[in-house]
Amino acid sequence: MKKTVYITGADRGLGLALTKVFLESNFKVFAGRFMSDWLELDELKKEYGENLHILSLDVTNQQSVDAAADYIKGQAGQLDILINNAGILKDRSRDIFGEFYYEDMMKLMDTNTFGPLRVSKSVVPLLIKGNSKILANISSEAASLADSWRKKEYGYCMSKTALNMQLTILQNQLKEYGIKVLAFHPGYVRSYIFGEFNPDASIDAIESATGIMNQILKSPAIEEHMFIDYQGNQMNW
């Protein structure tokens, strides 16, 4: 039986790259898609057939999250790996002397912090039944309190720091079930997190995705440091 992985935000960028590398590694992939007009996943479906299941998914909508979990349960009955990748960065807010758009910040929290929590909660019973038992999340160096250097981007940084706290709590509870929780800094990836493709970033999405997959497949012990980059280097909380 093929191992299973559920990847959110798989439409494009890092999520699409993660989908590709896991398919190439002979996984059955459940890919959460938010934008139905983005067609790269459909092209992969033609190539990989029943190894790729494309799910309509809005991580800010509980009904959508629950429907995706029910689909995975019906198709596989268990889940080996979850990768909470869906996230946004868009925020019109400036620094403390400029204007703040709290509605943008709230959207960041709903997507980047509560989104992963909704998804994790929906499939934890399936992860418990899986073999790999990995609950991975795309965090960011922007989440680090020890290494904080920015003078703006309040909403994004706070959403990722709150995500990291969420993951420590999840690990505290889920370790008795053998589930390893991970928070990844993916590097500065050429992706669409700004809304449009960012060609000036330093890392190709496939390079980051391959690194993340390799770290996951090492099956790190529950006691190992949770917050790492795509190459396995420890990040400071």
Side-chain angles (χ1 to χ4, degrees):
M1 183 177 178
K2 291 182 183 291
K3 286 195 172 184
T4 52
V5 58
Y6 177 21
I7 302 167
T8 70
D11 313 70
R12 58 188 186 181
L14 181 59
L16 182 66
L18 285 164
T19 300
K20 288 178 179 178
V21 297
F22 274 98
L23 284 169
E24 290 170 358
S25 297
N26 204 32
F27 274 74
K28 182 183 287 292
V29 178
F30 295 95
R33 174 164 66 182
F34 180 65
M35 298 174 293
S36 60
D37 59 342
W38 203 262
L39 302 178
E40 271 90 342
L41 283 174
D42 297 298
E43 294 301 314
L44 283 179
K45 178 69 174 176
K46 294 176 184 176
E47 182 177 356
Y48 289 96
E50 289 304 309
N51 286 337
L52 175 59
H53 295 254
I54 303 171
L55 317 178
S56 177
L57 179 66
D58 177 356
V59 300
T60 68
N61 182 290
Q62 189 66 56
Q63 184 176 0
S64 176
V65 169
D66 291 342
D70 287 343
Y71 179 85
I72 296 169
K73 181 179 179 180
Q75 290 291 319
Q78 58 84 43
L79 185 63
D80 290 300
I81 301 165
L82 166 64
I83 305 179
N84 280 310
N85 166 76
I88 58 173
L89 191 146
K90 187 176 180 180
D91 182 3
R92 295 166 293 169
S93 305
R94 301 185 65 81
D95 63 23
I96 198 68
F97 300 108
E99 188 170 0
F100 277 174
Y101 292 87
Y102 290 102
E103 62 270 31
D104 289 5
M105 296 189 197
M106 292 297 291
K107 183 66 174 178
L108 286 164
M109 294 296 292
D110 198 17
T111 304
N112 297 349
T113 308
F114 293 114
L117 188 59
R118 291 185 189 97
V119 173
S120 295
K121 179 176 173 58
S122 74
V123 296
V124 158
L126 301 179
L127 284 170
I128 290 173
K129 295 178 182 178
N131 295 311
S132 300
K133 301 183 190 299
I134 299 289
L135 199 169
N137 302 261
I138 304 304
S139 182
S140 171
E141 54 81 24
S144 175
L145 296 173
D147 295 329
S148 175
W149 55 268
R150 288 169 174 78
K151 296 180 179 180
K152 52 184 180 180
E153 297 182 353
Y154 284 85
Y156 181 74
C157 296
M158 290 190 296
S159 73
K160 290 297 189 178
T161 301
L163 170 64
N164 278 10
M165 174 54 78
Q166 172 194 137
L167 302 180
T168 66
I169 298 170
L170 278 171
Q171 186 64 92
N172 290 342
Q173 183 173 18
L174 295 179
K175 62 184 178 182
E176 66 179 280
Y177 300 96
I179 293 176
K180 173 62 177 177
V181 181
L182 289 166
F184 280 102
H185 168 50
Y188 187 27
V189 179
R190 291 190 283 273
S191 71
Y192 294 83
I193 196 166
F194 294 102
E196 296 181 354
F197 186 71
N198 176 21
D200 298 325
S202 56
I203 301 168
D204 182 76
I206 288 291
E207 179 184 354
S208 177
T210 300
I212 290 167
M213 181 184 69
N214 289 339
Q215 296 307 315
I216 288 173
L217 295 184
K218 287 179 180 179
S219 298
I222 289 175
E223 295 76 21
E224 289 186 38
H225 190 71
M226 292 168 53
F227 188 19
I228 59 177
D229 71 9
Y230 71 102
Q231 296 175 316
N233 300 306
Q234 289 192 13
M235 302 291 295
N236 293 322
W237 292 111

